[in-house]
Amino acid sequence: LEEIKSPHGVIRLSKSSLSLLEKNAVMSVLDREFLGMGREVQEFEQILETYLNRQVVAVASGTAALHLALEALNVGIGMEVLVPSLTYLASFQAISATGATPVACDILEDTLNLDVRDAEKKITNKTVAIMPVHYRGVPCDMEEVYKLAKKYSLKVVEDAAHAFGTSYNGRLIGSDDKSVTCFSFDGIKNITSGEGGGIVTNDVNVLKKVRDSRLLGVKNDSDQRYLGKRTWTFDVMSQGWRYHMSNIMAAIGIEQFKRFDSFKAKRRKIALQYDASFQGNNHIHTYSINYSDVVPHLYVIRIRNLQQRDLLREELLKYGIETGVHYYPNHLLSLYKKKEEKLKITEKIYPEILSLPIHPDINDIEVDYIAQTINSLIYKYIR
Ligand SMILES: Cc1ncc(COP(=O)(O)O)c(C=O)c1O
């Protein structure tokens, strides 16, 4: 990066936004020398429960949350789960971790979210569940998802890794009566606990199972851990995992939640500024949405007739602008590829999407600089 031409250094695509609050909170956990799952984890869960008005089980990652939620709904070997191909590998891996097969579905061209009609076409007698993904923080059409789920008796596990703080039909994602929703709190998410995730639901069966399965299946061990203890004598009836959250992680999450209002406002402001800056450019499609309900986790543009995206990304990096591609379609990966499978919209859109920097530590001048640089460079990369 020696030849960097940016007055701003490198503007990162995404990053954690950390303050003295998080640093002090971690120090106080370290000072107490109880780093595992204990009172901070319980407090983080309680804070999220108040916010979402649902029960929350904190775990080690968003992937762990999805895996445990599916397992708790008895998804397993020989079964199929519908999922959009345009998602992070984690959605697919969580499904295959249960022994079930992820069935890749197409997306809608105007929202980039799951095409529920395409999902319906892929239902077989093995289909037991559907995993909508609120891609970049924009909610899926959950009314359609639940209609489909009802018609075919499917379980629904929402991958809300991108959607913390977003609302659908006036209700926060995760607060719906019927939902089993999984969040991620990894380092770049809307709030972070370093790594981490949460299962959010009021389904008592799911809650009972995941509270135990995050701690190797030991019954009611969560209650002991909250008290700084552990269960010494136990029997185990089911497969479990070491998927619990640690106090260090929860301490970060607690402080991040206190700052979430400002994170939310900042993400919305950045997205609106990008929207406005690209308005006059016919080559760039911005998916402008009503951000009053949405916390934009990613900012994705589609550059029509784009070619050599990698070269464009390299050139942008020379100008100090990191970009991303969310995501390489999962149905094209060797592990999940099926012969002659084609997802028309996903494959058409994928080569043209580009994710631009969005996180709470970017300022207006940097957003302007990014937009202007893209507006002036992309002509070289259009067919
Ligand atoms: C859509 C999606 N699903 C699931 C996950 C998994 O979350 P984690 O990284 O916390 O395991 C992520 C995280 O990047 C994601 O973007």
Side-chain angles (χ1 to χ4, degrees), residues 309-376:
R309 178 177 51 199
D310 289 347
L311 292 184
L312 169 62
R313 293 187 60 214
E314 264 173 43
E315 182 160 12
L316 286 170
L317 198 53
K318 286 191 186 144
Y319 283 87
I321 300 166
E322 252 186 25
T323 56
V325 179
H326 295 93
Y327 295 95
Y328 187 72
N330 284 277
H331 74 285
L332 302 178
L333 298 171
S334 297
L335 179 62
Y336 299 118
K337 206 180 264 177
K338 287 185 198 134
K339 250 196 227 155
E340 286 168 35
E341 180 178 39
K342 236 188 127 34
L343 297 178
K344 212 171 116 207
I345 306 296
T346 305
E347 288 170 41
K348 177 166 118 183
I349 294 241
Y350 167 70
E352 298 187 342
I353 52 175
L354 189 70
S355 303
L356 307 187
I358 186 165
H359 58 75
D361 296 339
I362 299 181
N363 63 39
D364 299 3
I365 297 167
E366 289 167 330
V367 175
D368 253 351
Y369 168 76
I370 295 166
Q372 277 177 27
T373 310
I374 289 173
N375 275 332
S376 63

Side-chain angles (χ1 to χ4, degrees), residues 272-292:
L272 283 167
Q273 200 181 333
Y274 277 135
D275 282 354
S277 311
F278 295 128
Q279 213 171 32
N281 191 328
N282 293 333
H283 297 288
I284 297 182
H285 181 69
T286 60
Y287 303 98
S288 304
I289 41 170
N290 179 1
Y291 294 108
S292 58

Side-chain angles (χ1 to χ4, degrees), residues 61-63 66 87-88 90-91 133 159 161-162 184 186 189 196 327:
S61 69
T63 313
L66 292 168
T87 180
Y88 187 43
S91 318
V133 179
D159 181 339
H162 298 180
S184 160
D186 78 20
K189 290 300 189 286
Y327 295 95

